[in-house]
Structures are given as C-alpha cells and as structure tokens.
Amino acid sequence: ELFAQNILDWMDENKIVRIHIFGYSMGGYVALYLASLYPERVDRVFTFATKFDWSPEIANAQTKLLNPEKILEKLPAFAQSLEKRHQLHNWKEVLRKTSSMMISMGEKPPISQSLLSSVTCPVLLAVGDKDKMVSVDETKRVSELLQSARMCIMSNTSHPIEEIDILNLCDVVSDFFTNPSSK
C-alpha cells in the first residue's frame, strides 16, 4: 500500500494523470496493486520476475537468503555491491526490512485472486526460464487470472536484474509500451 501511495503521490506532484508501469520483482506486485485500485491512472503494466506465490514457508525460505552476516561471510563481493547500491541507507537494514515485508506477505499475501481479476489494463508478465525465485508456473497461473494479460518467458534469464540481457529486456518493454497491438 505504501509503495503504491508513493507512486500516486509522485504522479500527482508531477501532474501525471495516467502512466505505464514497469515493475521488477516486488515492483510488479506494486504495479498490479495500483492498477487494481486506480484503473484510471494506469494504462499498462509490465512485470518482470515478480513472485506471486507467497506462504509462510516460501517467505521463510526466501528470508534465509537475506541474512546480512552470512552474506558478509560467504559472499563479500556481493556485500560490497549491496553497500554501494544502498549508499543512502544501511544495506543490512534494507535486508532486514525486506525480510520483515516478506514474512508479512507470507502470512497474508496482499494480492488476492479477486484483486488480480479486477485489473483491466493490458499486462505483460515476464519471467526468466532460469529464475530460481519465481516459477514459470506461478506466472502462467497469474496471467490466466488477469483480464487482459499475456506472458513472456525470457530465455537464459535468472532473477537478479544485474544478470539479464538488458538490451533484450528493453526491446520487449519498449514494444509492449509503444505498440498498441501488444496486448
């Protein structure tokens, strides 16, 4: 809810009435949530690597991967990249807050089937064929719940955005947002 409100506030501050939204990972969740509550403000949604299946067990497994001390010990180069990426905030605190958010999502997923079925704008759900966090099956299931959605499986693509073929992703995103026949 907070992230969606942040988007609405930004749109209002910049006098933007209606937008296309690209949401990576959790951003896709936010985009769909916003599109369901404010259909008049969202023209199209493109999600990439968005996890839709949440349960306490899944949240627990995912949060184990966000342990700052283990990352420092076993993946020091990754810890350095996180520190650089989150210069304005303590990266360890970012991981702790992300873990807390995931636990909450596992206990009560914020996007229900009824919320998804209320999204009326065109949606493209993209997932990588090598994504270890998001399955092709869960993405397909969600695409079938949406009124105007299609799915795109990106070959040789894992979850971390730093590891994807950015030019290919840009082509797919650009086509979806600029080509009216891309539904």
Side-chain angles (χ1 to χ4, degrees):
E1 294 95 356
L2 176 63
F3 295 144
Q5 187 60 53
N6 289 340
I7 293 170
L8 287 173
D9 292 345
W10 178 84
M11 288 174 67
D12 291 344
E13 288 168 15
N14 290 281
K15 298 178 179 31
I16 298 169
V17 176
R18 195 166 169 85
I19 60 169
H20 298 315
I21 301 177
F22 169 83
Y24 163 70
S25 197
M26 193 60 62
Y29 227 68
V30 175
L32 291 170
Y33 182 83
L34 186 66
S36 73
L37 295 178
Y38 300 94
E40 72 283 0
R41 305 292 308 262
V42 180
D43 191 49
R44 288 176 176 241
V45 172
F46 185 116
T47 72
F48 176 63
T50 298
K51 178 98 186 125
F52 294 104
D53 289 345
W54 288 99
S55 68
E57 297 77 24
I58 289 171
N60 189 40
Q62 292 299 322
T63 59
K64 285 181 180 178
L65 302 173
L66 300 178
N67 183 316
E69 288 69 33
K70 284 188 180 179
I71 291 172
L72 270 170
E73 177 188 335
K74 297 184 179 205
L75 303 164
F78 182 55
Q80 280 184 319
S81 74
L82 288 173
E83 186 171 12
K84 184 177 180 182
R85 182 180 307 159
H86 299 287
Q87 288 178 358
L88 299 177
H89 308 283
N90 179 329
W91 70 274
K92 293 177 185 177
E93 187 60 23
V94 170
L95 292 185
R96 286 185 188 96
K97 287 183 178 183
T98 301
S99 293
S100 176
M101 179 180 65
M102 287 177 162
I103 295 295
S104 294
M105 291 175 70
E107 293 168 356
K108 186 178 181 230
I111 293 190
S112 64
Q113 285 189 1
S114 63
L115 187 140
L116 288 169
S117 64
S118 72
V119 174
T120 57
C121 68
V123 177
L124 180 59
L125 299 145
V127 62
D129 62 348
K130 295 185 177 180
D131 193 322
K132 292 181 180 162
M133 180 178 188
V134 181
S135 73
V136 170
D137 288 342
E138 72 186 275
T139 305
K140 183 177 189 301
R141 183 182 45 75
V142 169
S143 75
E144 292 167 354
L145 292 171
L146 294 163
Q147 293 181 35
S148 182
R150 67 182 175 96
M151 186 176 145
C152 171
I153 302 172
M154 302 192 68
S155 63
N156 200 30
T157 303
S158 59
H159 190 81
I161 200 160
E162 301 87 357
E163 297 176 10
I164 65 160
D165 178 347
I166 195 71
L167 295 178
N168 182 42
L169 178 62
C170 287
D171 286 344
V172 176
V173 170
S174 178
D175 181 60
F176 179 68
F177 286 146
T178 60
N179 185 351
S181 63
S182 288
K183 292 185 180 180

